[in-house]
Amino acid sequence: MKKINLFLLLATSTLLIACQSTPRPYNGVIGYQIENKTASSATLAYTLAARTKSSVDEKKLLQACKQVLGAEKTYQIKVLSVSEIINPPNKEQFGVKLGNSRATFGLSNSPDLNNSEGYATHQALEARPSTLNVVRYTCS
């Protein structure tokens, strides 16, 4: 039973790690967009969180090339430009909006009796980078 639980824990953690490092198509905030594509090369624009770990970003750029052009080859990456943009704010609205007024009613942010999560924990989990990097590059 312990071996099964250990196996399930390892499988779940591996899946979560793999999902964090795979390239994603552009969703309005982050991801890659295809600007130009031929049979042997492609020009992509990848929006990434601005951070100092360039090795992780290089792997994402290479994996995006493999998704667009095919996984059977190794590709050379040539960076055309890197620009920094402001991360757009999250537009989630909580509560119930009343007609055309600005008034909204919602539940309190205080934790309920069975929940040990506080407001500060909730805010920390919603932390977002203030800037994003847009990397334009070619794969060939």
Side-chain angles (χ1 to χ4, degrees):
M1 188 66 170
K2 289 182 182 181
K3 289 182 181 181
I4 293 173
N5 287 341
L6 181 63
F7 174 74
L8 290 175
L9 180 67
L10 289 173
T12 304
S13 62
T14 303
L15 180 65
L16 288 174
I17 290 169
C19 290
Q20 296 298 320
S21 62
T22 57
R24 300 179 184 177
Y26 190 69
N27 65 3
V29 180
I30 59 170
Y32 67 89
Q33 293 176 319
I34 302 170
E35 293 183 353
N36 188 12
K37 180 182 173 186
T38 63
S40 61
S41 68
T43 303
L44 303 173
Y46 206 129
T47 306
L48 300 159
R51 60 175 174 249
T52 58
K53 286 191 172 187
S54 63
S55 62
V56 173
D57 293 343
E58 288 175 17
K59 288 179 184 177
K60 283 188 177 185
L61 298 178
L62 186 60
Q63 290 299 321
C65 288
K66 289 183 178 186
Q67 278 190 353
V68 172
L69 296 173
E72 64 276 353
K73 288 177 58 180
T74 55
Y75 298 100
Q76 296 291 334
I77 293 176
K78 180 181 176 187
V79 176
L80 303 174
S81 67
V82 178
S83 58
E84 192 171 277
I85 61 171
I86 295 173
N87 193 0
N90 195 357
K91 295 184 180 184
E92 288 184 24
Q93 292 286 333
F94 298 103
V96 177
K97 187 172 168 122
L98 298 175
N100 292 327
S101 70
R102 293 185 188 181
T104 59
F105 292 94
L107 300 174
S108 170
N109 278 337
S110 62
D112 63 272
L113 296 175
N114 297 325
N115 189 358
S116 63
E117 180 181 300
Y119 182 71
T121 305
H122 185 67
Q123 291 295 326
L125 289 173
E126 291 182 351
R128 301 163 38 112
S130 60
T131 58
L132 300 172
N133 284 339
V134 179
V135 180
R136 289 188 67 243
Y137 65 102
T138 58
C139 309
S140 57

